[in-house]
Amino acid sequence: MRKNIVAGNWKMNKNLQEGVAFAKDLEAALAGKTLKCDVIIGTPFIHLASVASSTKLGVAAQNCADKASGAYTGEVSAAMVASTGAKYVILGHSERRTYYGETDAILKEKVLLALANGLSPIFCIGETKDEREKNVHFDVVKKQTVDALFELSAEDFSKIVMAYEPVWAIGTGLTATSAQAQEMHAYIRQTIADKYGKEVADNTSILYGGSANGGNAKELFACPDIDGGLIGGASLDVEKFIPVIEGF
Ligand code: PEP
């Protein structure tokens, strides 16, 4: 069966010392609690090795290169990420798509390299406000999924964690209603089922992201097709992140 997952995305926040301290504090705060989900923290590259070696929490990079190795100054490869002990990589985040021009074609390469290096991509998809208003949100999400992922084998696809993140809800304080999120998650699961079959679809974790927090996590996570959250702002403080984790 699919896993429940709560994954934090620190984005470009926290220096190394702050990040390592956060991971230790979070692990200490969770010790002794019975968790109903896996907990992952998505850190900047420089934190990965230190956090992965000092905690048992899942660790994710927030990006990796679309090339395997070589003369690509400033890039960090999937192999390098894997060598830190991180097991996940967030790919396709709307901030990467918007600010760094990441297309579905580029993301397809990143996904292949991540998988080849044993990383599970947390693959983000989602529509803008304008696309939702034009009622093309289902088409947008389907295209992002098909173009970047649907040439994978069923075995490789089963290593992907999907994250539905409506762009209009990220960092804005506007959360999709649980009905809007559930509707889209069910659509994504059906899209996966149409391509890979019901078993693969049923085993795929689909996370919701977009201003999720301790106040709305419980209602979101209670929806049948919402298997957890990708959490930005509320993952930056242990006291704010724990109530999200306890949404399960
Ligand atoms: C994100 O960046 O993935 C995200 C969901 O951010 P926030 O929770 O701050 O909206």
Side-chain angles (χ1 to χ4, degrees):
M1 258 329 264
R2 60 187 182 251
K3 285 181 184 170
N4 292 332
I5 297 171
V6 172
N9 174 15
W10 292 351
K11 312 192 186 194
M12 196 171 70
N13 291 294
K14 298 189 187 296
N15 66 26
L16 179 60
Q17 290 73 28
E18 290 164 347
V20 170
F22 174 100
K24 285 192 180 141
D25 289 350
L26 178 62
E27 197 166 42
L30 293 175
K33 290 186 192 282
T34 309
L35 298 183
K36 299 200 180 113
C37 62
D38 288 1
V39 178
I40 298 170
I41 44 182
T43 81
F45 288 129
I46 62 146
H47 301 62
L48 292 173
S50 306
V51 172
S53 64
S54 63
T55 78
K56 291 195 181 67
L57 299 167
V59 179
Q62 299 171 19
N63 182 26
C64 69
D66 61 342
K67 305 285 190 301
S69 66
Y72 301 102
T73 301
E75 287 295 293
V76 175
S77 72
M80 292 171 187
V81 170
S83 75
T84 67
K87 300 281 184 243
Y88 298 88
V89 57
I90 299 169
L91 292 175
H93 193 283
S94 64
E95 288 153 16
R96 302 280 332 159
R97 292 178 191 259
T98 305
Y99 305 142
Y100 300 98
E102 295 195 0
T103 61
D104 294 329
I106 291 170
L107 291 168
K108 190 171 159 183
E109 296 306 314
K110 294 189 178 202
V111 166
L112 288 172
L113 286 161
L115 290 168
N117 286 283
L119 297 169
S120 284
I122 300 174
F123 193 79
C124 306
I125 53 178
E127 81 286 356
T128 61
K129 186 165 178 278
D130 187 48
E131 288 162 343
R132 182 163 276 265
E133 282 168 2
K134 288 189 177 130
N135 207 27
V136 294
H137 44 298
F138 292 110
D139 298 341
V140 167
V141 161
K142 183 172 189 174
K143 185 169 173 14
Q144 290 170 335
T145 306
V146 170
D147 288 0
L149 303 178
F150 275 12
E151 282 179 29
L152 295 174
S153 66
E155 189 188 347
D156 274 345
F157 187 86
S158 67
K159 295 167 192 153
I160 306 272
V161 175
M162 298 296 291
Y164 169 58
E165 298 209 306
V167 180
W168 47 271
I170 296 179
T172 59
L174 291 174
T175 316
T177 63
S178 51
Q180 284 173 321
Q182 166 56 29
E183 182 186 37
M184 182 59 90
H185 281 230
Y187 176 78
I188 294 165
R189 200 176 304 286
Q190 187 57 51
T191 303
I192 297 167
D194 292 344
K195 168 72 183 170
Y196 292 106
K198 189 171 180 325
E199 192 180 343
V200 171
D202 283 346
N203 286 332
T204 302
S205 298
I206 308 177
L207 315 185
Y208 168 80
S211 299
N213 57 46
N216 55 31
K218 197 168 179 184
E219 184 181 335
L220 286 162
F221 298 169
C223 297
D225 288 293
I226 301 182
D227 308 308
L230 182 55
I231 315 297
S235 74
L236 291 171
D237 294 304
V238 171
E239 309 74 54
K240 290 189 182 154
F241 198 33
I242 299 252
V244 182
I245 295 165
E246 292 183 329
F248 278 111

